[in-house]
């Protein structure tokens, strides 16, 4: 990465340079996870021999009843563990949802990119938006992309890199911006999303331990979430412009043979303009079709039992299909209008080209899926979470310090257990009743969990998409590695965690409503 010669490096920049150099000395991500698998196997056996176990109250995901469960460290080197490792090799990979999401998203994104739609849209965005606003727009859209679950990782992050290079800025800054927005603010949105339904359901089960007549609704955190989206949009954009971009300096594509140079930002050609009009017609047609599938009462994509559309419904649960079709249809229609992708054969070739480039990532996901499965089987994450929870629970401190301590514990655990639902199933029956007894609203506990669960997603290599971001970065800098991404994301993680926690503390101190 280049650095401007006229400005001396700050202490923070020197520190991040050291982080990058040290981080890039580590082996290939596949080797890292193979080493971690070996550590988990050996450590699980040693802790199992020591009889490590914890007893907890946990919410049953099927019955939603509270049950007391003793969780023991399970060895991967005893008879049952060896059987599990041998028999689960392929099921572990097949059940790793990130693979399906990635391939599904790339089916549509490949057509949109190959036809030229992505390039034309970004150039249009650059033309109609003030230069200073681009960073804020990408940050805002990145945070909102969590409405589509993990699709933001696969679509928004690479688009942010392309958008930055199109205006002559360093594409790694765009990737970092996109990753921070998508991962670091994953639990909040301006809309109700499927994750909210699950978190609220577990919260209500925990509330009923102390008050069977009290419940919270899907919009119980909506005001805090909206404020968080706006606040984090500014924080992420500010860090990008003031810390990340100055550190990266000017992008020099000639140093990286074979990589795309910044796109021209002039007026669109007649063919490109016609392609965008065709793409708009395709989008309108798609909206009409999905309108028939979602708007009428009893529509196929509504919840068959409750009739709801936003929340737990086929429409929301399968939103990746809508995203795939949106890119596929608009990309093909753009190609017809711009005369770049016309026939079905052209579309298939574009999809094949996009998926062919995922070979290395798919193999990495195969190894990563084994690590996640083995780590889950041993119960290490659950035991660690409960041990930390016991320490915090026994601390004789006030409600607000306890909430802040809870945020810190969730953040620490998030480095190892990145799934928001799995952690909340563990923490909800412990902290929701405890804090209710201290006079804290359950909505505040859920809001605290959102703050603690998100920022670390952007720096932990155990995030299923962390390695994918490394791959995105290597398209622009062949020397980019794990250290590159960690050094880029550390400023975001540190400032987002601190400032978001301060926002939460002020919100709680002022007694502002958390939601509806």
């Amino acid at each position: 990465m280049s650095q401007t010669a006229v400005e001396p490096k700050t202490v923070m920049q020197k520190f991040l340079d050291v982080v990058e150099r040290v981080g890039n000395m580590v082996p290939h991500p596949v080797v890292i996870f193979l080493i971690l698998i070996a550590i988990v196997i050996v450590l699980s056996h040693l802790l199992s021999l020591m009889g490590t176990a914890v007893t907890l109250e946990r919410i049953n995901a099927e019955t939603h009843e509270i049950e007391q469960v003793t969780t023991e460290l399970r060895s991967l080197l005893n008879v049952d563990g060896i059987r599990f490792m041998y028999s689960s090799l392929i099921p572990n990979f097949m059940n790793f949802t990130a693979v399906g999401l990635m391939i599904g998203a790339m089916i549509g994104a490949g057509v949109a990119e190959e036809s030229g739609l992505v390039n034309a849209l970004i150039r249009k965005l650059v033309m109609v938006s003030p230069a200073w606003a681009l960073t804020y727009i990408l940050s805002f859209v990145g945070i909102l992309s969590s409405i589509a679950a993990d699709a933001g990782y696969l679509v928004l992050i690479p688009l942010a890199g392309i958008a930055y290079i199109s205006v002559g800025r360093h594409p790694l800054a765009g990737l970092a911006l996109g990753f921070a927005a998508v991962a670091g603010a994953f639990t909040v949105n301006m809309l109700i999303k499927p994750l909210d339904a699950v978190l609220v359901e577990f919260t209500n089960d925990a509330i009923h331990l102390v008050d069977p007549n009290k419940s919270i609704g899907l919009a119980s955190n909506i005001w805090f979430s909206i404020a968080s989206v706006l606040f984090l949009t500014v924080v992420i954009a500010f860090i990008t412009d003031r810390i990340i971009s100055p550190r990266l300096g000017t992008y020099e594509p000639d140093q990286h043979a074979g990589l795309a140079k910044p796109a021209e930002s002039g007026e669109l050609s007649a063919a490109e303009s016609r392609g965008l009009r065709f793409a708009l017609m395709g989008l309108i047609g798609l909206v009409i079709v999905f309108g028939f599938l979602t708007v009428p009462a009893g529509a196929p994509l509504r919840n068959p039992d409750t009739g709801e559309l936003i929340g737990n419904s086929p429409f929301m649960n399968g939103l990746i299909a809508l995203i795939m079709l949106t890119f596929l249809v608009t990309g093909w229609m753009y190609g017809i209008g711009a005369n770049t992708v016309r026939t079905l054969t052209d579309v298939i070739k574009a999809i094949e080209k996009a998926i062919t480039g995922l070979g290395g990532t798919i193999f990495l996901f195969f190894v990563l899926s084994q690590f996640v499965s083995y780590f889950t089987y041993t119960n290490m994450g659950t035991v660690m979470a409960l041990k930390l929870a016991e320490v915090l629970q026994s601390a004789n401190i006030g409600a607000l310090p306890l909430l802040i301590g809870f945020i810190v514990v969730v953040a620490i655990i998030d480095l190892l257990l990145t799934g928001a639902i799995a952690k909340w199933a563990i923490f909800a029956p412990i902290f929701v009743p405890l804090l209710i007894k201290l006079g804290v609203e359950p909505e505040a506990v859920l809001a605290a969990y959102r703050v603690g669960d998100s920022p670390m997603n952007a720096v932990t290599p155990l995030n299923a998409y962390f390695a994918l971001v490394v791959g995105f970065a290597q398209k622009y800098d062949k020397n980019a590695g794990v250290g590159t991404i960690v050094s880029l994301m550390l400023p975001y993680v540190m400032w987002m965690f601190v400032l978001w926690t301060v926002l939460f503390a002020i919100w709680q101190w002022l007694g502002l409503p958390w939601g509806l």
Side-chain angles (χ1 to χ4, degrees):
M1 291 180 295
S2 60
Q3 176 69 35
T4 55
V6 294
E7 296 182 3
K9 294 183 179 181
T10 64
V11 174
M12 173 60 75
Q13 289 173 337
K14 292 178 181 178
F15 169 73
L16 295 176
D17 287 344
V18 172
V19 171
E20 180 178 4
R21 286 196 300 269
V22 173
N24 285 342
M25 291 172 62
V26 301
H28 189 281
V30 169
V31 178
I32 293 175
F33 283 108
L34 289 175
I35 294 172
L36 289 174
I37 288 173
I39 292 174
V40 167
I41 291 173
V42 174
L43 193 58
S44 71
H45 190 64
L46 294 177
L47 293 175
S48 177
L49 292 176
M50 295 168 59
T52 306
V54 292
T55 300
L56 71 151
E57 288 185 334
R58 185 166 59 187
I59 300 173
N60 188 302
E62 296 180 358
T63 65
H64 303 294
E65 296 179 352
I66 306 300
E67 54 188 14
Q68 198 168 55
V69 180
T70 298
T71 301
E72 300 178 347
L73 253 298
R74 302 168 71 182
S75 172
L76 286 165
L77 288 180
N78 60 18
V79 173
D80 290 335
I82 293 172
R83 285 173 180 164
F84 171 78
M85 288 190 291
Y86 177 78
S87 61
S88 67
L89 190 68
I90 301 303
N92 291 342
F93 181 59
M94 298 299 292
N95 294 331
F96 199 60
T97 56
V99 178
L101 287 171
M102 178 180 65
I103 294 176
M106 292 307 297
I107 288 175
V111 176
E113 184 172 1
E114 187 69 14
S115 68
L117 173 63
V118 172
N119 181 276
L121 279 176
I122 290 178
R123 287 169 58 198
K124 188 70 173 180
L125 174 65
V126 171
M127 289 168 54
V128 300
S129 303
W132 63 267
L134 181 62
T135 299
Y136 291 85
I137 293 172
L138 291 172
S139 177
F140 180 70
V141 174
I143 296 175
L144 294 187
S145 70
S146 64
I147 190 69
D150 292 350
Y153 288 100
L154 306 168
V155 177
L156 192 281
I157 295 175
L159 286 184
I162 296 172
Y164 260 47
I165 198 173
S166 71
V167 294
R169 299 181 65 176
H170 205 296
L172 292 190
L175 294 179
L177 161 69
F179 194 20
V182 173
F186 188 78
T187 53
V188 291
N189 207 293
M190 286 188 164
L191 302 171
I192 304 299
K193 55 185 181 178
L195 176 64
D196 294 318
V198 181
L199 295 181
V200 167
E201 197 167 19
F202 281 171
T203 304
N204 284 329
D205 290 336
I207 294 171
H208 296 160
L209 288 172
V210 292
D211 188 351
N213 299 316
K214 181 177 177 61
S215 297
I216 63 175
L218 281 175
S220 57
N221 277 165
I222 190 65
W223 301 136
F224 179 71
S225 291
I226 291 174
S228 296
V229 169
L230 298 175
F231 178 73
L232 294 175
T233 294
V234 175
V235 170
I236 292 170
F238 184 85
I239 293 171
T240 303
D241 289 339
R242 297 301 180 91
I243 299 178
I244 304 303
S245 290
R247 175 170 176 262
L248 290 170
T250 304
Y251 180 57
E252 300 176 4
D254 290 339
Q255 294 179 353
H256 313 293
L259 295 179
K261 297 182 179 182
E264 297 179 0
S265 56
E267 294 290 334
L268 296 177
S269 67
E272 290 172 325
S273 297
R274 184 172 60 254
L276 288 180
R277 291 194 297 271
F278 274 55
L280 178 60
M281 288 188 291
L283 179 62
I284 293 173
L286 196 64
V287 169
I288 293 173
V289 171
F290 271 84
F292 284 114
L293 295 175
T294 57
V295 174
L301 298 185
R302 286 183 174 271
N303 187 302
D305 299 320
T306 65
E308 66 177 326
L309 179 64
I310 305 299
N312 183 21
S313 68
F315 174 71
M316 295 302 296
N317 294 335
L319 206 53
I320 186 67
L322 174 59
I323 293 173
M324 179 189 73
L325 288 173
T326 299
F327 279 101
L328 180 62
V329 171
T330 57
W332 192 357
M333 289 297 292
Y334 175 89
I336 293 174
N339 201 29
T340 55
V341 173
R342 298 188 60 86
T343 67
L344 181 59
T345 300
D346 293 335
V347 173
I348 294 173
K349 288 180 178 179
I351 295 173
E352 289 176 345
K353 181 179 178 180
I355 295 180
T356 299
L358 299 176
T361 303
I362 291 175
F363 175 61
L364 173 61
F365 279 6
F366 176 81
V367 178
L368 177 56
S369 68
Q370 308 308 317
F371 169 78
V372 172
S373 179
Y374 296 169
F375 188 79
T376 303
Y377 176 87
T378 62
N379 293 323
M380 283 187 188
T382 301
V383 171
M384 181 178 294
L386 265 293
K387 293 293 185 183
L388 286 173
E390 288 174 2
V391 172
L392 191 59
Q393 187 177 7
S394 61
N396 188 20
I397 56 179
L400 183 55
L402 185 57
L403 281 168
I404 295 175
F406 173 59
I407 291 173
V408 173
V409 168
V410 172
I412 293 172
I413 294 301
D414 194 49
L415 291 171
L416 298 174
L417 292 177
T418 57
I421 295 174
K423 287 195 301 294
W424 190 229
I426 296 171
F427 283 128
I430 299 173
F431 286 100
V432 172
L434 172 64
L435 286 159
I436 287 178
K437 293 176 183 177
L438 293 176
V440 178
E441 297 174 323
E443 294 91 337
V445 189
L446 179 55
Y449 179 73
R450 295 180 190 274
V451 175
D453 181 65
S454 293
M456 294 299 175
N457 291 335
V459 78
T460 173
L462 299 189
N463 182 338
Y465 297 101
F466 185 92
L468 189 64
V469 177
V470 175
F472 290 151
Q474 289 173 343
K475 293 182 179 179
Y476 302 107
D477 184 349
K478 62 182 180 182
N479 297 317
V482 172
T484 303
I485 302 304
V486 171
S487 67
L488 288 174
M489 302 316 300
L490 269 180
Y492 292 106
V493 171
M494 292 187 297
W495 284 111
M496 288 176 67
F497 181 77
V498 171
L499 295 178
W500 199 4
T501 302
V502 170
L503 174 66
F504 171 86
I506 293 174
W507 201 286
Q508 171 70 10
W509 180 63
L510 293 177
L512 298 176
W514 299 98
L516 297 175

